Amino acid sequence: MSTDLIQDAESARSALTTMWTIRRFEEAVDDLFARGMMHGTMHLSIGQEAVPVGACAELRDGDYITSTHRGHGHCIARGARLDRMMAELLAKETGYCRGRGGSMHIADVATGNLGANGIVAGGVPIAAGAALASRLRGEDRVVLSFFGDGAVNEGAWHEGVNLAAIWDLPVVFICENNNYGMSMSVQRAFRVDHLADRAAGYGIPGVTVDGNDVAAVRQAVRTAVERARAGSGPTFVEALTYRWKGHSKSDKNLYRTRDEIDLWRDRDPIARYTAALLDAGTLSEAEAQRCRAEARDAVRAAVRTANAAPDASAAELTSAVYAV
Amino acid sequence: MTTTLPGPAAAAAQPPEDGPAHRTLTYAEAVREALAEALRSDPRVFLLGEDIGVYGGAFGVTGDLVHRFGEDRVRDTPISELGIVGAAVGAALAGMRPVVEIQFSDFTAQAMDQIANQAAKIHFMLGGAASVPLVLRAPGGSGTGAAAQHSQSLEAWFAHVPGLKVVMPATPADAKGLLLAAIDDPNPVVFLEHKLLYKRSGPVPSGADRVPLGQAAVRRQGQDLTIVATGVMVSRAEEAARQLAEDGITATVVDPRTLVPLDDATIISEVAATGRALLVQEAPRTCGYMAEIAALIADSDAFGRLRAPIRRLSGLDVPIPYAPQLERAAVPQVPDIVAEATRLVRSW
């Protein structure tokens, strides 16, 4: 079976549906929040869907990912159940974390997701450690470590990348460079032209890719995963993308212009991918519509299921702190 | 007059006799023996830390382990505490049992995100779907002239974070038995060794017996007051108790051994039995762990048995100074314990 995201219809259907699922899931979250039906805060990745979908397409069962506070896309792309994700966000007992983690700590450990992380770059050394475990056991598992541009200036990032580099660990470091760490632009926060230039400082390959092109992301990650699985060490993949929504619920968009947001909306990764598939004749218009409808229906069903679930219970809180 | 509250009997943990099953080892050797036993019996266990390989560890604790178990499992790291602990968290999540050495406990400040925000919370945040079985060994305490950034007693930092367990072995036998129990534990355990104890000798069982976490040891039994002490203060309290006995004052000495989980019952019953509590720690007084023990006693049934105020004897609220006479003055010494105990018994 071809795994080409442009030419192979089955791969294309799957990728397009997953991209739509992330989009629809987060739109639903945004809506529930706006209507006062969801608690806490939310970090939405709308506009960035090509990165997790392209990257996770290269993983096998048994591989790991580490995720971020903006992690719904990673979780979905790795194969998590939408109803358990939505249940977590709706503070239900059936949520992945039984209501104890919420959006910022959502994880489906069964699919190798070692967790979203509320600390910027927190998952980077953790990824190196999971890869070290794989190495010590003589396995060929690979770890994809997702993080944003902001993480690249954190100490944890440097320490984690360096450990992976010196020990040739099977990690792919994937930077979702959406141009802002909250309000701090990449232009203000870095002296290097490309964040991938930082890779040279650790003696590993660094590549910058169009993060709104799902096929390009996949190709870059494929090369990196092959290198990691072969025991040749980590790669830093910088994917250039953009978040359409604010950093979180407090964001008033004071640091960027409407024109800039509109420019990036015109580069919508889902619209671009759909157009590429229609151009190539891989999917028909009707098939593309079916992917979109399937995603919508799956998210609606997840909201229904989650809403009907029992609320998270405080009964076992104190006994939940330590593993036994 | 001594009375004993009904309740759990104190875990009698008198030092075991030297014999065929026991050898005399130093505290550092006992730690090494536990590490070797864990490396030998469990393929998931590996060590990582700065200079733990051919150097043998800054305090010589890992010694020759790299030659016995290889560089993969006795893994030298760059000077990179946050990365080291983070890698241990990741390896633990992926099913390994990493044992990290942080060269001085002060350097845990460099790694605190991975300790407090990651290791401690992942099991809870993920709804129990994952756990982080790692041990973080770190020597603490003053007395070596290493000054303010290499001499702290930081147990209260860790004890205040739900999700961490905190262990403070005071004898060679406990260093071995508690470390084996810590490595078995499915949770992150901060294992605080004391630099002054590394060269102290004592009987150590030759087998792989575990000392369970959460069980205090009553080091000495007396009638006039109960001294609760941790880390290097345990042996100072024992020495003080010997001197007090010559003056007709007999003291019980309780070593909690683990701060989290804490053996509340033994502390409460031993304090109730004598009616006086003297709490001794090396760490600074303010918000120190002994404030928690004082509150525990005050909240408990032992309160009604008290015939004197609960007293704390702590390090001064100062950074540890360099000059030897200043360093000694900054933390409780045996004469301080004797004097405070005498005041407590004679005044009340």
Side-chain angles (χ1 to χ4, degrees):
Chain A
M1 185 192 78
S2 166
T3 54
D4 187 287
L5 286 186
I6 300 298
Q7 301 296 333
D8 179 65
E10 194 184 325
S11 303
R13 263 193 298 272
S14 167
L16 185 60
T17 304
T18 306
M19 289 172 77
W20 273 119
T21 303
I22 296 170
R23 175 78 51 96
R24 290 292 180 246
F25 183 90
E26 294 207 314
E27 286 171 349
V29 167
D30 203 23
D31 177 59
L32 288 164
F33 200 95
R35 289 194 284 141
M37 295 171 71
M38 198 172 272
H39 168 74
T41 190
M42 293 299 147
H43 304 90
L44 302 178
S45 65
I46 293 173
Q48 303 183 182
E49 296 90 345
V51 185
V53 173
C56 288
E58 278 303 310
L59 295 183
R60 299 178 187 163
D61 287 351
D63 289 339
Y64 296 114
I65 68 167
T66 63
S67 175
T68 71
H69 59 288
R70 204 175 305 286
H72 304 149
H74 312 138
C75 207
I76 292 170
R78 191 67 185 119
R81 281 173 50 175
L82 300 180
D83 55 347
R84 293 198 63 195
M85 287 181 68
M86 195 57 86
E88 183 60 28
L89 303 189
L90 288 168
K92 300 294 188 174
E93 189 64 29
T94 54
Y96 270 118
C97 312
R98 303 179 67 185
R100 293 163 193 162
S103 170
M104 272 194 285
H105 307 295
I106 203 160
D108 176 18
V109 179
T111 56
N113 185 344
L114 299 179
N117 207 308
I119 305 296
V120 171
V124 173
I126 291 174
L132 177 59
S134 170
R135 167 64 51 80
L136 285 168
R137 286 195 293 250
E139 300 166 345
D140 69 350
R141 296 176 199 246
V142 163
V143 187
L144 290 193
S145 180
F146 291 102
F147 49 85
D149 44 277
V152 180
N153 281 331
E154 284 278 12
W157 187 87
H158 295 269
E159 297 196 25
V161 171
N162 187 55
L163 291 180
I166 60 171
W167 293 333
D168 289 330
L169 297 178
V171 193
V172 180
F173 295 108
I174 302 184
C175 178
E176 296 171 309
N177 178 355
N178 63 18
N179 211 39
Y180 291 98
M182 201 157 163
S183 71
M184 185 73 175
S185 72
V186 164
Q187 289 72 33
R188 294 166 67 209
F190 291 85
R191 272 290 177 210
V192 287
D193 292 331
H194 297 289
L195 274 52
D197 295 348
R198 288 268 174 95
Y202 300 92
I204 63 171
V207 57
T208 301
V209 63
D210 180 347
N212 282 13
D213 178 343
V214 66
V217 171
R218 180 167 189 180
Q219 188 53 51
V221 171
R222 174 176 298 177
T223 306
V225 164
E226 283 170 359
R227 181 180 140 82
R229 237 188 267 286
S232 303
T235 301
F236 178 17
V237 176
E238 175 192 16
L240 300 175
T241 184
Y242 197 81
R243 65 169 153 74
W244 295 3
K245 297 285 182 174
H247 160 74
S248 69
K249 289 296 156 191
S250 67
D251 194 336
K252 298 182 182 65
N253 277 323
L254 299 175
Y255 53 92
R256 58 181 185 174
T257 63
R258 172 53 59 189
D259 284 350
E260 182 183 290
I261 297 170
D262 288 344
L263 179 76
W264 280 91
R265 279 179 173 268
D266 289 343
R267 300 174 186 163
D268 178 0
I270 297 180
R272 279 177 62 186
Y273 186 40
T274 305
L277 293 172
L278 298 179
D279 264 6
T282 308
L283 296 188
S284 67
E285 185 81 46
E287 285 173 310
Q289 285 297 336
R290 266 203 298 280
C291 293
R292 179 177 176 160
E294 198 181 304
R296 178 201 60 204
D297 293 346
V299 170
R300 281 184 182 164
V303 174
R304 267 198 307 277
T305 306
N307 264 325
D311 289 341
S313 162
E316 293 170 31
L317 263 193
T318 55
S319 62
V321 178
Y322 293 94
V324 290
Chain B
M1 174 69 193
T2 300
T3 50
T4 305
L5 278 187
Q14 297 303 318
E17 297 302 314
D18 216 353
H22 294 84
R23 291 81 18 82
T24 297
L25 296 182
T26 66
Y27 183 97
E29 288 166 341
V31 172
R32 189 184 315 137
E33 199 166 84
L35 294 172
E37 167 59 24
L39 285 161
R40 190 191 59 72
S41 61
D42 187 345
R44 299 172 303 175
V45 173
F46 71 102
L47 316 184
L48 71 172
E50 295 156 7
D51 310 297
I52 65 168
V54 291
Y55 195 100
F59 291 92
V61 173
T62 47
D64 64 347
L65 291 177
V66 69
H67 302 298
R68 294 159 64 187
F69 297 98
E71 291 181 345
D72 261 2
R73 298 184 70 203
V74 182
R75 181 169 287 261
D76 267 333
T77 67
I79 302 166
S80 191
E81 289 83 7
L82 181 59
I84 298 165
V85 179
V89 172
L93 282 170
M96 301 296 281
R97 296 265 170 164
V99 181
V100 174
E101 177 175 305
I102 297 292
Q103 203 160 71
F104 287 81
S105 68
D106 314 71
F107 306 166
T108 59
Q110 291 271 34
M112 206 46 121
D113 175 60
Q114 288 292 335
I115 299 169
N117 286 328
Q118 312 295 341
K121 294 181 173 56
I122 285 173
H123 174 75
F124 181 87
M125 292 191 304
L126 268 51
S131 58
V132 185
L134 73 82
V135 177
L136 190 156
R137 297 178 36 244
S142 65
T144 63
Q149 296 173 336
H150 290 70
S151 300
Q152 293 170 88
S153 300
L154 299 175
E155 62 273 13
W157 285 8
F158 305 110
H160 199 62
V161 180
L164 299 178
K165 295 190 176 183
V166 183
V167 180
M168 291 183 76
T171 68
D174 278 353
K176 180 177 178 184
L178 288 168
L179 182 51
L180 285 169
I183 294 170
D184 287 343
D185 200 279
N187 296 284
V189 180
V190 178
F191 193 86
L192 295 166
E193 297 161 12
H194 198 290
K195 295 190 283 286
L196 290 185
L197 296 178
Y198 277 138
K199 291 179 180 167
R200 296 269 181 89
S201 294
V204 176
S206 55
D209 295 346
R210 271 67 174 162
V211 174
L213 306 186
Q215 201 175 91
V218 179
R219 301 290 179 195
R220 189 183 175 94
Q221 204 87 51
Q223 299 193 332
D224 298 309
L225 82 161
T226 297
I227 304 175
V228 182
T230 49
V232 77
M233 292 300 153
V234 174
S235 55
R236 288 185 193 169
E238 288 180 282
E239 175 54 28
R242 277 188 286 275
Q243 295 181 18
L244 287 162
E246 291 168 13
D247 200 24
I249 295 173
T250 63
T252 293
V253 176
V254 178
D255 170 7
R257 299 200 281 198
T258 65
L259 306 189
V260 183
L262 181 68
D263 182 355
D264 301 16
T266 295
I267 293 168
I268 290 167
S269 66
E270 292 299 331
V271 169
T274 64
R276 296 186 184 92
L278 175 60
L279 315 178
V280 188
Q281 67 179 20
E282 179 173 358
R285 179 184 183 88
T286 303
C287 296
Y289 195 80
M290 286 304 167
E292 183 62 32
I293 303 257
L296 169 76
I297 295 165
D299 276 352
S300 77
D301 290 345
F303 182 75
R305 306 295 186 97
L306 289 176
R307 40 188 170 160
I310 302 164
R311 287 276 189 225
R312 280 178 293 158
L313 192 56
S314 308
L316 303 178
D317 283 331
V318 301
I320 297 295
Y322 162 68
Q325 68 277 21
L326 304 186
E327 188 179 25
R328 273 195 302 277
V331 303
Q333 305 295 332
V334 173
D336 303 322
I337 302 172
V338 171
E340 193 62 35
T342 305
R343 262 197 298 281
L344 189 57
V345 173
R346 299 274 191 253
S347 310
W348 299 84

